[in-house]
Amino acid sequence: MVQGYTKGLAKGKNSASGARHAQKAAAAPKKGKRYVAPKKTALVKQAAMHKDLSAKINKSIEQQLASAASSGKLTIMKNVAMEGTSAEKPKAPVKPKKS
């Protein structure tokens, strides 16, 4: 006779522990804010309009950044760096000593 677990019994034991873990995970609520889709027609239209507007705004921002980056070197802080150098006072020329 075979002693110990057979292959079929060992497989059943592992799947039972997996199912127990799944039940425990399902019982605990997930972290984070929940979003419930609106049911009223006015709110559905408002949510759709908000989604479209935010998509258009994001697209325009990305296009502006892409055009700014492609116009020169890939530095967004280029204008800030140029202002920093012009803000510094130029040093007075050093006069040679008469000897």
Side-chain angles (χ1 to χ4, degrees), residues 37-71:
K39 301 289 186 274
K40 297 181 180 179
T41 56
L43 294 178
V44 170
K45 288 180 183 178
Q46 182 182 3
M49 184 180 66
H50 183 268
K51 185 177 179 182
D52 291 340
L53 287 176
S54 61
K56 288 178 183 178
I57 290 170
N58 288 339
K59 185 177 179 182
S60 69
I61 290 172
E62 288 175 4
Q63 286 177 348
Q64 288 175 0
L65 283 176
S67 65
S70 65
S71 66

Side-chain angles (χ1 to χ4, degrees), residues 2-18:
V2 177
Q3 295 180 353
Y5 291 110
T6 61
K7 288 184 181 179
L9 290 176
K11 203 180 282 186
K13 182 180 179 185
N14 290 339
S15 64
S17 65

